[in-house]
Amino acid sequence: MQQRLVALVLLVAAASAACASRPAASAFVGDVRVALKHVDTGKQLSRPELIRRAMRRSKARAAALSAVRSRRGRFFPGASDPPQQQAPGATAVRPSGDLEYVVDLAIGTPPQRVSALLDTGSDLIWTQCAPCASCVTQPDPVFAPAASASYEPARCAAPLCSDIPHHGCLRPADTCTYHYNYGDGTTTLGVYATEPFTFASSSSGGGGDALSLSVPLGFGCGSVNVGSLNNGSGIVGFGRNPLSLVSQLSIRRFSYCLTPYASGRRSTLLFGSLAGGVYGDAAGDGPVQTTPLLQSPQNPTFYYVRLTGISVGGRRLRIPESAFALQPDGSGGVIVDSGTALTLLPAAVLAEVVRAFRAQLRLPFANGSSADDSVCFAVPAAWRRSASASAQVAVPRMVLHFQGADLDLPRRNYVLDDHRRGRLCLLLADSGDDGWTIGNLVQQDMRVLYDLEAETLSFAPAQC
C-alpha cells in the first residue's frame, strides 16, 4: 500500500514538472472581506437540529483537541515521512477536520473553485487534488493541478517544506511531500506546492462592487485523503505556525463575525488592515472589550487567553485559578476556536457550573442527561405547550471573566430551548482533559478581533 501511495505522489509531481518557477510570496498588504457559510446552510433544519448536529461534531473535536494538548496523538507513518523529520515543538496530530464554517475561494490559473473549511486550530492549507487515489466526498470538482498553468511543486529545500511536521522528499524530482493527520482520523497525503489563491471580496460597506484578490500561497495538494471534510474540499489553517494563511501572508490582524446557525445570514471574515477598524463604526451593539493573547511553546498553533473565573446568576463560582492556567508543559489553558461549536470545560469545572445552574433553575436532569453528558434539564409540560415557550423559563446569566474583560453572554449563546423534546440544554461539554475551548456558539453575533501585533483578542456584541 505504501509503495502505491508513493507512486501516486510521484505521478502528480511528474505531471507538473514542466511548470515555470515563480517568485516567492510577499507580505500581504490588501484588505479582504469574505463571506463564511455554516456547513449545514441550506439543509432546512431547525435551530435545535442544527445545534444537535454541531454538538456531535464538537465531541469529535473535543477528543482531538485533548489528544493535541496532552500529546497523546499518534502519527500514522508513511514511507515518505519518517518520524525524525517532525519539526521541533510540533505536534503530530491536529484537531479534527469536522469543522463548522466554509470559505469559498479559488486556486490556480485559471482559478478553480474550492470550498475550504476555516480552522483557527490548525495550520496547513490544503485541498483534495486529482488524480485522487482516495478522496472523500466534496461539493466541488476536485482541484486538477494539470489544468493550472501556475501549479508548482515545492522543492525539498523550500523553507515551508521543513516547517511541515511530517514531510518527505521525492527523488529525482526534488519534490516536497507531506502527511498531515487530524485527531478525528482525517488524514491527507500528497505534494506540497504553490499556487495563486483568489478570494472574492467586497467593499467595507458590504454593498459595493465585488473585488477579486489573488495571492500566492504554499498548500498541500492531497491525492490520498481519508476521514471527514464536512461539506468542504479542504482546510484553510488560521493558526499561528508558519504554514497557516495568517503566517504566510504576514497578516497581523484578522476578525470574524459569526451569525447564528439558523439565521440564514452569511458570517464575515476580514483580514488585512480592514480588520483593525471593524469596531469603529455604528454597527456595534455594545462596548469593545480586550484581553491578552497567550501562546504555548508546546502547542504554538492555538490562540490562548487568560480566563480568570465564571459567574452564574450573578454569583462567581469557587473555581481555583489553577483550573484555568496554561501549564509550562502545554497542558491546561483556554483556547478560542472557530471550529468547535460547544464551549468545552474540564470535567470538574463543568460539574461545578452545572450544579450552579441546577440550583438556580430548580429543574431535574432530563432522561439520559447528567452533568457528564449533554447537560439538559427537563422542563414543565406547560412550558412545552406555550406559544412563547422561550420566555417561560428564566435562565441565570452566565459571564466569562477574562483578564481585563467580562463576557456577559446572551442567553442564546449558551442555552438551547428544545421544545420538541421538552428540554433546556446548556451548550457546554466535557473537554476530556484539563484544557478549555471557547467555542463558536459563545462567539455568535460578536465581532472577534485577533490582533497579532498587540497580542490581544477583542470582542464586541454586534448584529452580524
Side-chain angles (χ1 to χ4, degrees), residues 232-320:
S233 312
I235 293 176
V236 173
F238 259 69
R240 306 190 74 170
N241 268 350
L243 297 171
S244 74
L245 185 143
V246 173
S247 296
Q248 288 195 53
L249 297 183
S250 299
I251 294 170
R252 305 315 299 155
R253 295 181 184 89
F254 70 93
S255 68
Y256 50 68
C257 203
L258 304 178
T259 59
Y261 295 165
S263 71
R265 306 191 309 270
R266 290 289 184 99
S267 300
T268 305
L269 169 69
L270 304 99
F271 52 93
S273 58
L274 186 64
V278 297
Y279 298 105
D281 56 35
D285 297 327
V288 178
Q289 299 199 65
T290 300
T291 189
L293 280 171
L294 310 176
Q295 191 169 19
S296 165
Q298 287 73 27
N299 296 311
T301 292
F302 298 140
Y303 296 95
Y304 286 90
V305 290
R306 183 173 284 117
L307 188 67
T308 60
I310 299 176
S311 292
V312 175
R315 182 173 69 86
R316 189 147 177 161
L317 304 185
R318 293 183 177 179
I319 302 171

Side-chain angles (χ1 to χ4, degrees), residues 55 59 350 354 357-358 361 363-379 416 418 421-430:
M55 283 179 170
K59 289 183 178 180
L350 177 62
V354 171
F357 273 101
R358 192 178 186 194
L361 285 169
L363 295 174
F365 287 123
N367 291 336
S369 177
S370 70
D372 297 320
D373 192 21
S374 53
V375 197
C376 295
F377 301 95
V379 297
L416 170 65
D418 194 342
R421 297 188 179 187
R423 294 180 170 194
L424 183 151
C425 300
L426 301 178
L427 300 177
L428 309 171
D430 185 354

Side-chain angles (χ1 to χ4, degrees), residues 118-129:
L118 173 69
D119 189 8
T120 53
S122 68
D123 301 294
L124 184 70
I125 304 168
W126 69 276
T127 190
Q128 300 191 119
C129 285

